[in-house]
């Protein structure tokens, strides 16, 4: 499984992530030329070799109208003003580019995360938000660059370490704010973060939104065979190397840890048991089932088993205690290996049918969705088995 692991020990900023991913790209010059064309010449994206604490990497610069971000801020201090950009302007620009639709959708989703966070921080509707730092063309270039790079690299799994957000204070358009800035903190809700000794903003709103959108799981680096590593350097120098590091390689099919919650029940009706199972499944339980047992005093009973993701444990426990008569629930952790699942639409002589596809461990399986087959059977007057045979005929003798 092609895996991308992002090391966020020094946080994450859009330009640093761009530079790190660019080191993985087989033709970085062609990529930069294509991305510069997106902005019609107003933006010049360039990459140059750089070094932080003896580590060689790549630094990406974005110059707008001939100036880089620090230079624009200097001119702003002397009376020049940034153009504030609304959400709809950004979305319209993204939609009008000639980038692949998947890249456009990812970019719009990233800006949606930023816009909702800014909206909550400032107490305004999303369509009233006008961006300052994240709304300038250089930040838009960072977002589009990362979305396009990930699209072209096409990892099957994107993982990341917990995020170092830095500490201290940061100067923003609205004044001096604590690190992490409020918008960054809102975006990173649910993501493991920490603050180290470095007094600086290490994770920007743009970097936070890119991580939140693309990363499927945060934690320690998994066992993987690394093929290539990319280093993206930042503008500032610290005692630690100011780099975002990405690992590109292959990861064997990996299992996951799930939780089983179980309890013995001997004083509930079948209807009440069925209702409890339905409630657990509606909350997203992986599976709910019951097994018959003989309890003390010769009473017939059942064990209610609930399999769920470990992070759902508290929610499932509350549901079990609310909807059953149990006084206690047993908990077991299991390692689970599974096939990767996807859904595709197949055209058939009877009409479109959804097909569930499962693959991994050298196995590929496909199965038509029951509800679609049942609908076709009712429509045609054929039996369910006849529909199956016509769509998936077995071997002839």
């Amino acid at each position: 499984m092609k895996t991308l692991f992002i090391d966020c020990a020094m946080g994450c900023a859009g330009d640093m992530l761009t530079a790190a991913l660019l080191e993985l790209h087989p033709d970085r010059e062609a990529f930069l030329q294509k991305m510069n064309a997106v902005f019609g010449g107003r933006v010049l994206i360039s990459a140059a070799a750089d070094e932080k604490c003896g580590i060689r990497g790549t630094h990406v610069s974005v110059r707008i109208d001939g100036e880089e971000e620090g230079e624009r801020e200097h001119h702003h201090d002397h009376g020049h003003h940034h153009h504030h950009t609304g959400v709809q302007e950004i979305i319209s620009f993204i939609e009008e580019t000639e980038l692949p639709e998947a890249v456009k959708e990812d970019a719009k989703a990233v800006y949606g995360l930023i816009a909702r966070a800014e909206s909550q921080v400032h107490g305004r509707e999303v369509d009233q938000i006008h961006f300052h730092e994240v709304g300038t063309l250089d930040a838009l270039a960072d977002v589009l660059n990362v979305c396009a790079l990930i699209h072209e690299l096409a990892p099957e799994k994107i993982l990341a370490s917990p995020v170092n957000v830095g500490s201290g204070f940061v100067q923003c358009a609205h004044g001096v704010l604590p690190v992490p800035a409020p918008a960054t903190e809102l975006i990173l809700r649910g993501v493991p973060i920490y603050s180290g000794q470095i007094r600086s903003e290490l994770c920007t709103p743009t970097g936070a939104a890119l991580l939140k959108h693309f990363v499927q799981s945060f934690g320690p680096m998994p066992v993987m065979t690394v093929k290539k590593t990319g280093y993206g350097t930042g503008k500032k120098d610290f005692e630690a190397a100011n780099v975002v590091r990405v690992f590109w390689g292959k990861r064997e099919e990996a299992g996951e840890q799930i939780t089983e919650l179980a309890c013995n029940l001997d004083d509930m009706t079948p209807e009440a048991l069925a209702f409890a199972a339905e409630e657990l499944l509606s909350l997203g339980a992986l599976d709910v089932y019951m097994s018959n047992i003989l309890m003390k005093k010769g009473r017939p009973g059942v064990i209610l088993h609930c399999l769920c993701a470990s992070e759902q444990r508290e929610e499932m426990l509350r549901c079990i205690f609310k909807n059953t008569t149990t006084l206690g629930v047993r908990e077991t952790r299991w390692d689970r290996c599974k096939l990767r699942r996807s859904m595709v639409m197949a055209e058939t002589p009877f009409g479109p049918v959804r097909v569930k596809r499962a693959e991994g461990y050298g196995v590929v399986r496909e199965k038509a969705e029951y509800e679609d087959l049942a609908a076709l059977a009712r429509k045609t007057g054929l039996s369910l088995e006849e529909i199956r045979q016509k769509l998936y005929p077995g071997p002839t003798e």
Side-chain angles (χ1 to χ4, degrees):
M1 179 186 294
K2 293 190 296 183
T3 300
L4 176 70
F5 180 80
I6 306 171
D7 181 1
C8 302
M10 289 298 288
C12 184
D15 59 338
M16 295 170 70
L17 185 56
T18 296
L21 294 172
L22 195 59
E23 289 207 329
L24 305 179
H25 199 280
D27 192 347
R28 65 180 69 183
E29 291 305 321
F31 178 83
L32 291 174
Q33 185 177 359
K34 178 178 64 178
M35 295 309 296
N36 279 321
V38 167
F39 291 93
R42 187 181 176 190
V43 173
L44 177 61
I45 307 163
S46 61
D50 195 17
E51 185 175 307
K52 296 291 181 183
C53 296
I55 297 176
R56 290 188 62 79
T58 295
H59 179 75
V60 165
S61 299
V62 179
R63 301 183 74 84
I64 298 172
D65 297 329
E67 295 180 334
E68 203 172 354
E69 184 176 7
E71 298 166 342
R72 293 193 299 279
E73 289 173 357
H74 175 74
H75 288 169
H76 174 71
D77 292 339
H78 289 79
H80 291 72
H81 296 283
H82 285 295
H83 171 64
H84 292 176
T85 308
V87 177
Q88 194 51 52
E89 289 179 79
I90 294 172
I91 298 302
S92 296
F93 179 89
I94 293 171
E95 289 177 341
E96 290 169 5
T97 67
E98 295 184 1
L99 293 168
E101 286 301 319
V103 175
K104 295 180 187 180
E105 291 304 315
D106 283 332
K108 289 188 288 185
V110 169
Y111 263 100
L113 288 170
I114 300 171
R116 288 191 292 274
E118 292 283 350
S119 170
Q120 188 169 338
V121 167
H122 299 299
R124 299 178 185 174
E125 295 296 325
V126 170
D127 58 5
Q128 296 177 345
I129 293 297
H130 286 76
F131 293 106
H132 301 280
E133 292 89 351
V134 296
T136 52
L137 281 172
D138 50 340
L140 179 56
D142 291 339
V143 171
L144 290 176
N145 283 337
V146 171
C147 291
L149 281 163
I150 287 179
H151 177 73
E152 294 189 15
L153 292 169
E156 296 174 87
K157 195 80 170 178
I158 302 178
L159 310 172
S161 70
V163 183
N164 184 355
V165 295
S167 64
F169 297 86
V170 61
Q171 178 71 49
C172 296
H174 299 283
V176 178
L177 301 176
V179 172
T184 303
E185 183 274 323
L186 278 170
I187 295 168
L188 290 176
R189 293 265 176 101
V191 172
I193 64 174
Y194 64 98
S195 177
Q197 299 299 314
I198 296 175
R199 297 185 65 79
S200 183
E201 181 187 39
L202 297 183
C203 188
T204 65
T206 304
L210 288 165
L211 291 174
K212 189 67 173 284
H213 176 68
F214 283 111
V215 175
Q216 295 155 289
S217 179
F218 292 85
M221 183 177 177
V223 176
M224 60 185 288
T225 303
V226 177
K227 303 294 185 182
K228 200 169 184 181
T229 306
Y231 292 85
T233 65
K235 296 181 179 69
K236 298 180 181 179
D237 292 308
F238 304 113
E239 290 184 4
N242 186 21
V243 299
V244 167
R245 180 168 57 165
V246 294
F247 296 89
W248 177 258
K250 184 177 180 181
R251 185 180 176 215
E252 296 302 322
E253 302 289 349
E256 62 180 353
Q257 194 168 77
I258 62 172
T259 296
E260 179 184 357
L261 303 174
C263 58
N264 295 6
L265 301 164
D266 68 354
D267 57 352
M268 292 181 63
T269 65
E271 291 90 346
L273 287 169
F275 180 81
E278 289 170 3
E279 290 295 287
L280 290 166
L281 289 169
S282 70
L283 291 175
L286 299 172
D287 199 3
V288 180
Y289 63 98
M290 298 172 209
S291 52
N292 294 322
I293 56 172
L294 190 65
M295 297 179 62
K296 59 186 178 183
K297 300 182 181 179
R299 296 174 183 167
V302 299
I303 302 176
L304 174 67
H305 305 264
C306 173
L307 301 179
C308 64
S310 296
E311 58 266 24
Q312 294 178 296
R313 170 184 173 275
E314 289 293 329
E315 188 176 24
M316 297 298 168
L317 280 172
R318 286 194 294 269
C319 184
I320 291 173
F321 282 119
K322 176 182 178 181
N323 293 289
T324 73
T325 56
T326 190
L327 301 178
V329 177
R330 301 183 296 279
E331 179 178 346
T332 309
R333 296 291 178 93
W334 297 101
D335 289 327
R336 182 177 78 147
C337 298
K338 64 178 183 178
L339 300 180
R340 299 189 303 277
R341 283 169 279 189
S342 60
M343 185 79 78
V344 297
M345 188 66 74
E347 291 296 330
T348 77
F350 300 99
V353 171
R354 290 172 296 170
V355 176
K356 294 181 284 190
R357 182 182 175 90
E359 54 187 314
Y361 298 94
V363 173
V364 177
R365 294 176 185 162
E366 290 187 345
K367 183 179 181 181
E369 179 65 42
Y370 162 77
E371 295 294 344
D372 291 3
L373 294 182
L376 290 178
R378 295 186 182 101
K379 178 181 177 181
T380 60
L382 299 173
S383 70
L384 189 65
E385 189 56 33
E386 286 173 323
I387 287 289
R388 279 204 181 100
Q389 286 297 322
K390 288 183 179 295
L391 296 182
Y392 301 99
T396 56
E397 297 184 0

